[in-house]
Amino acid sequence: MPLLPPKFGPYGGQYVPETLMPALAELEDAFISARADLAFQREFDRLLADFVGRPTPLTYARRLSERLGGAQIYLKREDLAHTGAHKINNALGQALLVRRMGKRRIVAETGAGQHGVASATAAALLGLECVVYMGAVDIARQQPNVFRMKLLGAEVRSVSGGTQTLKDAINEAIRDWVTNVRDTHYLLGSALGPHPYPTIVREFQSVIGREAREQILRELGRLPDTVIACVGGGSNAIGIFSAFLSDPEVELIGVEAGGEGLASGKHAARFGDPARGRLGVIHGTRTFVLQTADGQIAETHSVSAGLDYAAIGPEHAYLRDQERAFYTAATDEEALSAFQMLCQTEGIIPALESAHALAEVIKRAPTMPKDSVILVNLSGRGDKDLNTVMQHFH
Ligand SMILES: *Cc1c(COP(=O)(O)O)cnc(C)c1O
């Protein structure tokens, strides 16, 4: 069977120890054969419908559109997917591949716990053993998600090396995978890592774009002018962008975490800060990474844990070079204010990650004509963020 392209222009590839190469090849084979297998597709579609609750709705944001006085705004409601965000689409798809490969155990990394919860959920559904690596600092600040994972039957292993956060958890998950690769799959949570992960994750998340494209065509009989999504590793963005890549008239905008502002150095804007966001290799892939002057992985900051990572998925680097997609940043403050505006105009409490996409909508919609259309990916719901938000609004 023909293999998948391992790179996106100069980005991506497979920078892993020799011992992992057979596992990556096995994963690629399993994915290619699953994609061609009607029974696999049918089972995945059935789970997306009956378990995840897809298709998620497309909601016209009438009051938000009126408030901003320009473009008409439509929300793709990934916040209504089971477990509260888009991550479950990918976790379920990979968990089905694990069963197909005859493995019985998954390891996953998690920062805020969202991908850990999605992985633990998929593992429980399919009867797989699940170990989630999480930095000790993250465990302390994300107790509700730690408890959720345990309720779902997963083991949460605390990582005390490095800064005790996401990148250290990824290192440990990879170490476990290398050691137990015969019966273990590494369930990677974003459009990152060595080939074939970025492609597999994009394909499992492409359901967002396929649905949204069909829904907006049915509702308006036309495509949106602009599609906006937040970009952590880049999975929800590539999931919605993928359906519009061949429509050059549709503008694609990714929004990174601007933290306390690009000049502060406290952010996660890999593209937005060219002095520190440079080409490098991280966790198996070649892409833009926030680095210190001597090439160490820089510390990042964002009010939203899901955007707080030093690297961006390699396909986004490629789309940016091609000028097919454009990238900008929203600060913590802009995201918090967008968060509040969506709550009060639409009765929807968004995830702080998604609020970054909304912050860009707030900047852009007023400059666009009233008959133009913005489609925004509401990647998740905000229940998980209430503690953080409470500390900012008092
Ligand atoms: C994890 C997460 C993100 C960021 O991850 P991507 O891979 O960039 O999509 C965005 N929104 C929500 C709600 C998340 O949980």
Side-chain angles (χ1 to χ4, degrees), residues 368-390:
M368 296 169 67
K370 284 212 163 70
D371 60 355
S372 60
V373 174
I374 296 178
L375 168 64
V376 48
N377 199 14
L378 205 70
S379 55
R381 67 175 182 229
D383 308 46
K384 68 182 177 61
D385 295 317
L386 295 186
N387 268 328
T388 308
V389 173
M390 261 186 270

Side-chain angles (χ1 to χ4, degrees), residues 28-81:
E28 184 167 2
D29 282 346
F31 177 71
I32 292 170
S33 83
R35 202 168 55 163
D37 178 357
L38 268 183
F40 179 93
Q41 285 307 323
R42 220 175 288 130
E43 181 168 24
F44 187 40
D45 290 347
R46 187 182 58 79
L47 289 177
L48 288 178
D50 301 346
F51 185 71
V52 177
R54 307 203 70 91
T56 58
L58 180 75
T59 301
Y60 171 48
R62 180 186 311 278
R63 296 190 64 234
L64 179 64
S65 304
E66 280 169 7
R67 167 85 65 97
L68 297 174
Q72 306 308 306
I73 298 154
Y74 286 80
L75 310 170
K76 179 58 175 163
R77 302 290 307 280
E78 292 303 293
D79 60 312
L80 293 178

Side-chain angles (χ1 to χ4, degrees), residues 85-87 114 190 230-236 306-307 351 353-354 379-380:
H86 67 290
K87 287 199 171 75
Q114 294 305 107
S190 189
C230 64
V231 192
S235 71
N236 86 88
L307 303 184
E353 291 83 2
S354 321
S379 55

Side-chain angles (χ1 to χ4, degrees), residues 35 64 67 183 197 200 250 281 324 341 393:
R35 202 168 55 163
L64 179 64
R67 167 85 65 97
D183 73 342
Y197 281 104
I200 289 180
V250 179
V281 168
R324 180 62 198 93
M341 191 183 289
F393 301 143

Side-chain angles (χ1 to χ4, degrees), residues 99-120:
R99 223 177 42 185
R100 194 177 178 91
M101 290 186 287
K103 297 187 173 186
R104 50 161 200 88
R105 180 174 180 268
I106 62 174
V107 293
E109 81 292 344
T110 201
Q114 294 305 107
H115 175 57
V117 168
S119 298

